[in-house]
Amino acid sequence: MKQIAYLLLSGIVGLAACQNKLSKQTDKNIQDIDNIKQETNIDSIKQNAKLDSVKQVLAQTTDPLKRIKLHQQIIDIKIAGSSPEERCQLFDDYSTEVQKELNKLNERESHYIEHYYDYRMDDEGNEKEPHDSIKKKDLFYKKAGIDIIDLGEGIVELTLQTRFYTKYVKQLPKYYQDYWYLRKDAENIAPDASLIISWRELGNLLARYEAYVKRYPTQKELFCRLKDDYKFLQSAFLFGVDNTSTVDVDSVDKEVKEEWKRFIKTYPDSPTTPFIKEMLLLNKYEDMYSIQQKLIRFQETSNYPLLKTCTFKR
């Protein structure tokens, strides 16, 4: 009997000790959680204070280059603790604001960019050494992360170097990264109404647009943003552009024909493939006008995701 009583008493003491230990551990866990919350709140307060400070400086700054740097600071602060979807919106906002500043910069430097080639070529079109003041300006913009891009027909534009976008793009969801690179790769591929990429590259780019629809079928808003580029790429692949036609006199350019055949074999389900087949069957290529009109009607009325009427703001 004494043995049983002893065991019972030992069990009660042990249970009390265990409960006391658990209670202390629970208290410690609660304290840890409270500390984390407090640290998070402090970090959030510091972040908001820093953001407010940058925004105040931005409001008082008029120079486009300095404002671009401040917009970079803003997205750097915001993007760290954001969700993937929030990051996409932050990047959209950043891109929009940077473009506004670039527009101001190009307006301010209108004389410089309008005479960009005059500084570098004589009246006979021969290259010449630009004046030291122009060299200095060129170097200034290069150091500031600004590139000069040729838009064709002697027109140039100041633009932000790609690396100031890609540093954020790589932090975005894959569907947005793929979308952004599609837009980027379709930029300025036909300055002076002349293609500067090969027919194979054009065909592959068109196929990438069409593949995007299959890979990310729910990204309807981004389809709307891709719509105009896709229409241009599809038309250029079939008919060329003003100074780079798919037709040479009365026959299809040899390189074009080879690329078309490769395309329809590789992408038989492409919405572009039926039009290519029609082009290959033509005997007189002045008759391709009817196919152009057919493509226009298709692009205007099709339910294909990249051609549908958009309900999203772009």
Side-chain angles (χ1 to χ4, degrees), residues 112-139:
Y112 169 66
I113 59 179
E114 285 171 10
H115 297 276
Y116 184 79
Y117 287 113
D118 295 337
Y119 300 136
R120 292 159 175 79
M121 287 188 287
D122 60 25
D123 294 338
E124 283 73 43
N126 301 311
E127 288 188 18
K128 68 177 183 181
E129 193 77 7
H131 190 273
D132 287 346
S133 62
I134 299 301
K135 287 183 180 179
K136 188 176 180 180
K137 189 182 285 282
D138 291 346
L139 184 60

PDB file of all heavy atoms in Angstrom, residues 112-139:
ATOM      1  N   TYR A 112      19.917  68.229 -78.972  1.00  0.00           N
ATOM      2  CA  TYR A 112      20.991  67.226 -78.968  1.00  0.00           C
ATOM      3  C   TYR A 112      20.601  65.980 -79.761  1.00  0.00           C
ATOM      4  O   TYR A 112      21.370  65.483 -80.596  1.00  0.00           O
ATOM      5  CB  TYR A 112      21.338  66.864 -77.526  1.00  0.00           C
ATOM      6  CG  TYR A 112      22.228  65.665 -77.341  1.00  0.00           C
ATOM      7  CD1 TYR A 112      23.549  65.652 -77.779  1.00  0.00           C
ATOM      8  CD2 TYR A 112      21.740  64.523 -76.687  1.00  0.00           C
ATOM      9  CE1 TYR A 112      24.365  64.544 -77.572  1.00  0.00           C
ATOM     10  CE2 TYR A 112      22.547  63.423 -76.479  1.00  0.00           C
ATOM     11  CZ  TYR A 112      23.859  63.429 -76.928  1.00  0.00           C
ATOM     12  OH  TYR A 112      24.665  62.339 -76.723  1.00  0.00           O
ATOM     13  N   ILE A 113      19.384  65.472 -79.529  1.00  0.00           N
ATOM     14  CA  ILE A 113      18.998  64.227 -80.209  1.00  0.00           C
ATOM     15  C   ILE A 113      18.585  64.463 -81.666  1.00  0.00           C
ATOM     16  O   ILE A 113      18.775  63.604 -82.517  1.00  0.00           O
ATOM     17  CB  ILE A 113      17.879  63.472 -79.438  1.00  0.00           C
ATOM     18  CG1 ILE A 113      16.621  64.317 -79.286  1.00  0.00           C
ATOM     19  CG2 ILE A 113      18.376  63.031 -78.083  1.00  0.00           C
ATOM     20  CD1 ILE A 113      15.484  63.600 -78.560  1.00  0.00           C
ATOM     21  N   GLU A 114      18.045  65.638 -81.939  1.00  0.00           N
ATOM     22  CA  GLU A 114      17.672  65.945 -83.330  1.00  0.00           C
ATOM     23  C   GLU A 114      18.899  66.099 -84.232  1.00  0.00           C
ATOM     24  O   GLU A 114      18.838  65.833 -85.432  1.00  0.00           O
ATOM     25  CB  GLU A 114      16.828  67.220 -83.382  1.00  0.00           C
ATOM     26  CG  GLU A 114      15.389  67.013 -82.909  1.00  0.00           C
ATOM     27  CD  GLU A 114      14.644  68.322 -82.756  1.00  0.00           C
ATOM     28  OE1 GLU A 114      15.182  69.361 -83.208  1.00  0.00           O
ATOM     29  OE2 GLU A 114      13.534  68.315 -82.182  1.00  0.00           O
ATOM     30  N   HIS A 115      20.004  66.520 -83.651  1.00  0.00           N
ATOM     31  CA  HIS A 115      21.238  66.733 -84.427  1.00  0.00           C
ATOM     32  C   HIS A 115      22.306  65.683 -84.102  1.00  0.00           C
ATOM     33  O   HIS A 115      23.478  65.890 -84.402  1.00  0.00           O
ATOM     34  CB  HIS A 115      21.781  68.137 -84.161  1.00  0.00           C
ATOM     35  CG  HIS A 115      20.863  69.226 -84.603  1.00  0.00           C
ATOM     36  ND1 HIS A 115      20.823  69.684 -85.909  1.00  0.00           N
ATOM     37  CD2 HIS A 115      19.925  69.929 -83.926  1.00  0.00           C
ATOM     38  CE1 HIS A 115      19.913  70.638 -86.007  1.00  0.00           C
ATOM     39  NE2 HIS A 115      19.343  70.800 -84.822  1.00  0.00           N
ATOM     40  N   TYR A 116      21.856  64.581 -83.507  1.00  0.00           N
ATOM     41  CA  TYR A 116      22.789  63.543 -83.048  1.00  0.00           C
ATOM     42  C   TYR A 116      23.742  63.098 -84.159  1.00  0.00           C
ATOM     43  O   TYR A 116      24.960  62.999 -83.960  1.00  0.00           O
ATOM     44  CB  TYR A 116      22.006  62.346 -82.498  1.00  0.00           C
ATOM     45  CG  TYR A 116      22.884  61.258 -81.912  1.00  0.00           C
ATOM     46  CD1 TYR A 116      23.414  61.390 -80.641  1.00  0.00           C
ATOM     47  CD2 TYR A 116      23.176  60.097 -82.638  1.00  0.00           C
ATOM     48  CE1 TYR A 116      24.210  60.393 -80.086  1.00  0.00           C
ATOM     49  CE2 TYR A 116      23.973  59.110 -82.100  1.00  0.00           C
ATOM     50  CZ  TYR A 116      24.488  59.262 -80.822  1.00  0.00           C
ATOM     51  OH  TYR A 116      25.299  58.276 -80.289  1.00  0.00           O
ATOM     52  N   TYR A 117      23.201  62.817 -85.331  1.00  0.00           N
ATOM     53  CA  TYR A 117      24.039  62.334 -86.438  1.00  0.00           C
ATOM     54  C   TYR A 117      24.769  63.481 -87.141  1.00  0.00           C
ATOM     55  O   TYR A 117      25.829  63.268 -87.738  1.00  0.00           O
ATOM     56  CB  TYR A 117      23.208  61.527 -87.428  1.00  0.00           C
ATOM     57  CG  TYR A 117      22.823  60.171 -86.890  1.00  0.00           C
ATOM     58  CD1 TYR A 117      21.495  59.858 -86.611  1.00  0.00           C
ATOM     59  CD2 TYR A 117      23.791  59.201 -86.628  1.00  0.00           C
ATOM     60  CE1 TYR A 117      21.140  58.618 -86.089  1.00  0.00           C
ATOM     61  CE2 TYR A 117      23.447  57.958 -86.111  1.00  0.00           C
ATOM     62  CZ  TYR A 117      22.128  57.672 -85.839  1.00  0.00           C
ATOM     63  OH  TYR A 117      21.795  56.451 -85.322  1.00  0.00           O
ATOM     64  N   ASP A 118      24.204  64.689 -87.054  1.00  0.00           N
ATOM     65  CA  ASP A 118      24.895  65.848 -87.640  1.00  0.00           C
ATOM     66  C   ASP A 118      26.238  66.073 -86.960  1.00  0.00           C
ATOM     67  O   ASP A 118      27.200  66.516 -87.598  1.00  0.00           O
ATOM     68  CB  ASP A 118      24.046  67.117 -87.486  1.00  0.00           C
ATOM     69  CG  ASP A 118      22.750  67.036 -88.278  1.00  0.00           C
ATOM     70  OD1 ASP A 118      22.712  66.254 -89.246  1.00  0.00           O
ATOM     71  OD2 ASP A 118      21.789  67.738 -87.925  1.00  0.00           O
ATOM     72  N   TYR A 119      26.291  65.764 -85.671  1.00  0.00           N
ATOM     73  CA  TYR A 119      27.536  65.942 -84.931  1.00  0.00           C
ATOM     74  C   TYR A 119      28.597  64.912 -85.335  1.00  0.00           C
ATOM     75  O   TYR A 119      29.786  65.098 -85.065  1.00  0.00           O
ATOM     76  CB  TYR A 119      27.297  65.778 -83.420  1.00  0.00           C
ATOM     77  CG  TYR A 119      26.315  66.756 -82.830  1.00  0.00           C
ATOM     78  CD1 TYR A 119      25.343  66.331 -81.925  1.00  0.00           C
ATOM     79  CD2 TYR A 119      26.351  68.111 -83.159  1.00  0.00           C
ATOM     80  CE1 TYR A 119      24.447  67.220 -81.363  1.00  0.00           C
ATOM     81  CE2 TYR A 119      25.448  69.003 -82.605  1.00  0.00           C
ATOM     82  CZ  TYR A 119      24.494  68.556 -81.714  1.00  0.00           C
ATOM     83  OH  TYR A 119      23.603  69.443 -81.167  1.00  0.00           O
ATOM     84  N   ARG A 120      28.156  63.840 -85.981  1.00  0.00           N
ATOM     85  CA  ARG A 120      29.040  62.706 -86.243  1.00  0.00           C
ATOM     86  C   ARG A 120      29.294  62.433 -87.723  1.00  0.00           C
ATOM     87  O   ARG A 120      30.076  61.551 -88.064  1.00  0.00           O
ATOM     88  CB  ARG A 120      28.453  61.446 -85.584  1.00  0.00           C
ATOM     89  CG  ARG A 120      28.482  61.520 -84.066  1.00  0.00           C
ATOM     90  CD  ARG A 120      27.484  60.579 -83.399  1.00  0.00           C
ATOM     91  NE  ARG A 120      27.650  60.613 -81.962  1.00  0.00           N
ATOM     92  CZ  ARG A 120      27.192  61.567 -81.158  1.00  0.00           C
ATOM     93  NH1 ARG A 120      26.515  62.574 -81.657  1.00  0.00           N
ATOM     94  NH2 ARG A 120      27.413  61.516 -79.857  1.00  0.00           N
ATOM     95  N   MET A 121      28.587  63.156 -88.606  1.00  0.00           N
ATOM     96  CA  MET A 121      28.762  62.958 -90.051  1.00  0.00           C
ATOM     97  C   MET A 121      28.802  64.296 -90.777  1.00  0.00           C
ATOM     98  O   MET A 121      28.087  65.228 -90.397  1.00  0.00           O
ATOM     99  CB  MET A 121      27.627  62.090 -90.609  1.00  0.00           C
ATOM    100  CG  MET A 121      27.734  60.621 -90.232  1.00  0.00           C
ATOM    101  SD  MET A 121      26.506  59.588 -91.081  1.00  0.00           S
ATOM    102  CE  MET A 121      25.020  60.056 -90.213  1.00  0.00           C
ATOM    103  N   ASP A 122      29.610  64.349 -91.849  1.00  0.00           N
ATOM    104  CA  ASP A 122      29.659  65.581 -92.640  1.00  0.00           C
ATOM    105  C   ASP A 122      28.543  65.568 -93.689  1.00  0.00           C
ATOM    106  O   ASP A 122      27.727  64.634 -93.732  1.00  0.00           O
ATOM    107  CB  ASP A 122      31.037  65.772 -93.289  1.00  0.00           C
ATOM    108  CG  ASP A 122      31.405  64.621 -94.234  1.00  0.00           C
ATOM    109  OD1 ASP A 122      30.479  63.956 -94.760  1.00  0.00           O
ATOM    110  OD2 ASP A 122      32.610  64.392 -94.456  1.00  0.00           O
ATOM    111  N   ASP A 123      28.530  66.579 -94.544  1.00  0.00           N
ATOM    112  CA  ASP A 123      27.456  66.698 -95.534  1.00  0.00           C
ATOM    113  C   ASP A 123      27.444  65.563 -96.551  1.00  0.00           C
ATOM    114  O   ASP A 123      26.424  65.303 -97.189  1.00  0.00           O
ATOM    115  CB  ASP A 123      27.569  68.040 -96.267  1.00  0.00           C
ATOM    116  CG  ASP A 123      27.325  69.220 -95.339  1.00  0.00           C
ATOM    117  OD1 ASP A 123      26.684  69.003 -94.291  1.00  0.00           O
ATOM    118  OD2 ASP A 123      27.781  70.336 -95.658  1.00  0.00           O
ATOM    119  N   GLU A 124      28.596  64.892 -96.731  1.00  0.00           N
ATOM    120  CA  GLU A 124      28.679  63.773 -97.679  1.00  0.00           C
ATOM    121  C   GLU A 124      28.372  62.426 -97.017  1.00  0.00           C
ATOM    122  O   GLU A 124      28.436  61.379 -97.662  1.00  0.00           O
ATOM    123  CB  GLU A 124      30.076  63.709 -98.316  1.00  0.00           C
ATOM    124  CG  GLU A 124      30.345  64.740 -99.400  1.00  0.00           C
ATOM    125  CD  GLU A 124      30.529  66.135 -98.834  1.00  0.00           C
ATOM    126  OE1 GLU A 124      31.224  66.269 -97.798  1.00  0.00           O
ATOM    127  OE2 GLU A 124      29.963  67.083 -99.406  1.00  0.00           O
ATOM    128  N   GLY A 125      28.066  62.458 -95.734  1.00  0.00           N
ATOM    129  CA  GLY A 125      27.740  61.217 -95.033  1.00  0.00           C
ATOM    130  C   GLY A 125      28.941  60.487 -94.477  1.00  0.00           C
ATOM    131  O   GLY A 125      28.817  59.334 -94.033  1.00  0.00           O
ATOM    132  N   ASN A 126      30.100  61.130 -94.492  1.00  0.00           N
ATOM    133  CA  ASN A 126      31.301  60.519 -93.929  1.00  0.00           C
ATOM    134  C   ASN A 126      31.376  60.789 -92.417  1.00  0.00           C
ATOM    135  O   ASN A 126      30.981  61.860 -91.954  1.00  0.00           O
ATOM    136  CB  ASN A 126      32.555  61.077 -94.601  1.00  0.00           C
ATOM    137  CG  ASN A 126      32.551  60.837 -96.105  1.00  0.00           C
ATOM    138  OD1 ASN A 126      32.299  59.721 -96.565  1.00  0.00           O
ATOM    139  ND2 ASN A 126      32.815  61.887 -96.884  1.00  0.00           N
ATOM    140  N   GLU A 127      31.890  59.806 -91.693  1.00  0.00           N
ATOM    141  CA  GLU A 127      32.018  59.972 -90.245  1.00  0.00           C
ATOM    142  C   GLU A 127      33.030  61.059 -89.913  1.00  0.00           C
ATOM    143  O   GLU A 127      34.037  61.214 -90.587  1.00  0.00           O
ATOM    144  CB  GLU A 127      32.445  58.651 -89.590  1.00  0.00           C
ATOM    145  CG  GLU A 127      31.349  57.602 -89.555  1.00  0.00           C
ATOM    146  CD  GLU A 127      31.742  56.384 -88.734  1.00  0.00           C
ATOM    147  OE1 GLU A 127      32.690  56.508 -87.928  1.00  0.00           O
ATOM    148  OE2 GLU A 127      31.121  55.332 -88.897  1.00  0.00           O
ATOM    149  N   LYS A 128      32.711  61.803 -88.857  1.00  0.00           N
ATOM    150  CA  LYS A 128      33.651  62.825 -88.392  1.00  0.00           C
ATOM    151  C   LYS A 128      33.688  62.802 -86.861  1.00  0.00           C
ATOM    152  O   LYS A 128      32.768  62.272 -86.210  1.00  0.00           O
ATOM    153  CB  LYS A 128      33.234  64.206 -88.895  1.00  0.00           C
ATOM    154  CG  LYS A 128      31.946  64.737 -88.295  1.00  0.00           C
ATOM    155  CD  LYS A 128      31.631  66.146 -88.797  1.00  0.00           C
ATOM    156  CE  LYS A 128      30.374  66.702 -88.121  1.00  0.00           C
ATOM    157  NZ  LYS A 128      30.035  68.050 -88.590  1.00  0.00           N
ATOM    158  N   GLU A 129      34.737  63.350 -86.325  1.00  0.00           N
ATOM    159  CA  GLU A 129      34.900  63.391 -84.880  1.00  0.00           C
ATOM    160  C   GLU A 129      33.984  64.462 -84.298  1.00  0.00           C
ATOM    161  O   GLU A 129      34.033  65.637 -84.701  1.00  0.00           O
ATOM    162  CB  GLU A 129      36.359  63.731 -84.543  1.00  0.00           C
ATOM    163  CG  GLU A 129      36.734  63.504 -83.096  1.00  0.00           C
ATOM    164  CD  GLU A 129      36.957  62.034 -82.751  1.00  0.00           C
ATOM    165  OE1 GLU A 129      36.952  61.194 -83.675  1.00  0.00           O
ATOM    166  OE2 GLU A 129      37.129  61.740 -81.558  1.00  0.00           O
ATOM    167  N   PRO A 130      33.104  64.091 -83.347  1.00  0.00           N
ATOM    168  CA  PRO A 130      32.226  65.107 -82.748  1.00  0.00           C
ATOM    169  C   PRO A 130      33.017  66.088 -81.889  1.00  0.00           C
ATOM    170  O   PRO A 130      34.114  65.784 -81.427  1.00  0.00           O
ATOM    171  CB  PRO A 130      31.259  64.282 -81.903  1.00  0.00           C
ATOM    172  CG  PRO A 130      31.948  62.993 -81.648  1.00  0.00           C
ATOM    173  CD  PRO A 130      32.833  62.742 -82.824  1.00  0.00           C
ATOM    174  N   HIS A 131      32.464  67.230 -81.655  1.00  0.00           N
ATOM    175  CA  HIS A 131      33.080  68.261 -80.827  1.00  0.00           C
ATOM    176  C   HIS A 131      33.251  67.744 -79.398  1.00  0.00           C
ATOM    177  O   HIS A 131      32.493  66.890 -78.936  1.00  0.00           O
ATOM    178  CB  HIS A 131      32.202  69.513 -80.835  1.00  0.00           C
ATOM    179  CG  HIS A 131      32.836  70.712 -80.225  1.00  0.00           C
ATOM    180  ND1 HIS A 131      32.774  70.986 -78.877  1.00  0.00           N
ATOM    181  CD2 HIS A 131      33.580  71.717 -80.772  1.00  0.00           C
ATOM    182  CE1 HIS A 131      33.426  72.095 -78.615  1.00  0.00           C
ATOM    183  NE2 HIS A 131      33.923  72.576 -79.761  1.00  0.00           N
ATOM    184  N   ASP A 132      34.238  68.266 -78.692  1.00  0.00           N
ATOM    185  CA  ASP A 132      34.508  67.831 -77.319  1.00  0.00           C
ATOM    186  C   ASP A 132      33.295  67.986 -76.411  1.00  0.00           C
ATOM    187  O   ASP A 132      33.058  67.156 -75.517  1.00  0.00           O
ATOM    188  CB  ASP A 132      35.688  68.617 -76.733  1.00  0.00           C
ATOM    189  CG  ASP A 132      37.021  68.190 -77.318  1.00  0.00           C
ATOM    190  OD1 ASP A 132      37.056  67.123 -77.971  1.00  0.00           O
ATOM    191  OD2 ASP A 132      38.034  68.905 -77.115  1.00  0.00           O
ATOM    192  N   SER A 133      32.522  69.040 -76.631  1.00  0.00           N
ATOM    193  CA  SER A 133      31.330  69.256 -75.805  1.00  0.00           C
ATOM    194  C   SER A 133      30.309  68.130 -76.009  1.00  0.00           C
ATOM    195  O   SER A 133      29.617  67.725 -75.059  1.00  0.00           O
ATOM    196  CB  SER A 133      30.689  70.607 -76.125  1.00  0.00           C
ATOM    197  OG  SER A 133      30.260  70.651 -77.484  1.00  0.00           O
ATOM    198  N   ILE A 134      30.218  67.620 -77.242  1.00  0.00           N
ATOM    199  CA  ILE A 134      29.307  66.505 -77.550  1.00  0.00           C
ATOM    200  C   ILE A 134      29.839  65.208 -76.941  1.00  0.00           C
ATOM    201  O   ILE A 134      29.078  64.412 -76.378  1.00  0.00           O
ATOM    202  CB  ILE A 134      29.114  66.354 -79.075  1.00  0.00           C
ATOM    203  CG1 ILE A 134      28.503  67.632 -79.663  1.00  0.00           C
ATOM    204  CG2 ILE A 134      28.238  65.143 -79.393  1.00  0.00           C
ATOM    205  CD1 ILE A 134      27.153  68.006 -79.063  1.00  0.00           C
ATOM    206  N   LYS A 135      31.147  65.003 -77.042  1.00  0.00           N
ATOM    207  CA  LYS A 135      31.764  63.824 -76.420  1.00  0.00           C
ATOM    208  C   LYS A 135      31.503  63.821 -74.912  1.00  0.00           C
ATOM    209  O   LYS A 135      31.219  62.772 -74.314  1.00  0.00           O
ATOM    210  CB  LYS A 135      33.269  63.820 -76.678  1.00  0.00           C
ATOM    211  CG  LYS A 135      33.689  63.482 -78.091  1.00  0.00           C
ATOM    212  CD  LYS A 135      35.213  63.458 -78.163  1.00  0.00           C
ATOM    213  CE  LYS A 135      35.722  63.118 -79.545  1.00  0.00           C
ATOM    214  NZ  LYS A 135      37.199  63.112 -79.602  1.00  0.00           N
ATOM    215  N   LYS A 136      31.618  64.990 -74.322  1.00  0.00           N
ATOM    216  CA  LYS A 136      31.401  65.129 -72.883  1.00  0.00           C
ATOM    217  C   LYS A 136      29.962  64.772 -72.518  1.00  0.00           C
ATOM    218  O   LYS A 136      29.702  64.079 -71.526  1.00  0.00           O
ATOM    219  CB  LYS A 136      31.736  66.563 -72.450  1.00  0.00           C
ATOM    220  CG  LYS A 136      31.734  66.775 -70.944  1.00  0.00           C
ATOM    221  CD  LYS A 136      32.170  68.194 -70.613  1.00  0.00           C
ATOM    222  CE  LYS A 136      32.174  68.417 -69.099  1.00  0.00           C
ATOM    223  NZ  LYS A 136      32.601  69.800 -68.743  1.00  0.00           N
ATOM    224  N   LYS A 137      29.027  65.242 -73.337  1.00  0.00           N
ATOM    225  CA  LYS A 137      27.613  64.939 -73.093  1.00  0.00           C
ATOM    226  C   LYS A 137      27.331  63.446 -73.275  1.00  0.00           C
ATOM    227  O   LYS A 137      26.611  62.834 -72.477  1.00  0.00           O
ATOM    228  CB  LYS A 137      26.715  65.760 -74.034  1.00  0.00           C
ATOM    229  CG  LYS A 137      25.227  65.667 -73.715  1.00  0.00           C
ATOM    230  CD  LYS A 137      24.397  66.461 -74.696  1.00  0.00           C
ATOM    231  CE  LYS A 137      24.488  67.940 -74.450  1.00  0.00           C
ATOM    232  NZ  LYS A 137      23.639  68.357 -73.290  1.00  0.00           N
ATOM    233  N   ASP A 138      27.914  62.847 -74.325  1.00  0.00           N
ATOM    234  CA  ASP A 138      27.764  61.412 -74.555  1.00  0.00           C
ATOM    235  C   ASP A 138      28.233  60.617 -73.335  1.00  0.00           C
ATOM    236  O   ASP A 138      27.560  59.677 -72.890  1.00  0.00           O
ATOM    237  CB  ASP A 138      28.582  60.969 -75.776  1.00  0.00           C
ATOM    238  CG  ASP A 138      28.029  61.502 -77.088  1.00  0.00           C
ATOM    239  OD1 ASP A 138      26.882  61.980 -77.104  1.00  0.00           O
ATOM    240  OD2 ASP A 138      28.756  61.451 -78.100  1.00  0.00           O
ATOM    241  N   LEU A 139      29.412  60.990 -72.823  1.00  0.00           N
ATOM    242  CA  LEU A 139      29.992  60.293 -71.677  1.00  0.00           C
ATOM    243  C   LEU A 139      29.147  60.489 -70.428  1.00  0.00           C
ATOM    244  O   LEU A 139      28.949  59.552 -69.645  1.00  0.00           O
ATOM    245  CB  LEU A 139      31.421  60.790 -71.437  1.00  0.00           C
ATOM    246  CG  LEU A 139      32.209  60.092 -70.316  1.00  0.00           C
ATOM    247  CD1 LEU A 139      32.354  58.600 -70.614  1.00  0.00           C
ATOM    248  CD2 LEU A 139      33.589  60.735 -70.151  1.00  0.00           C
TER     249      LEU A 139
END
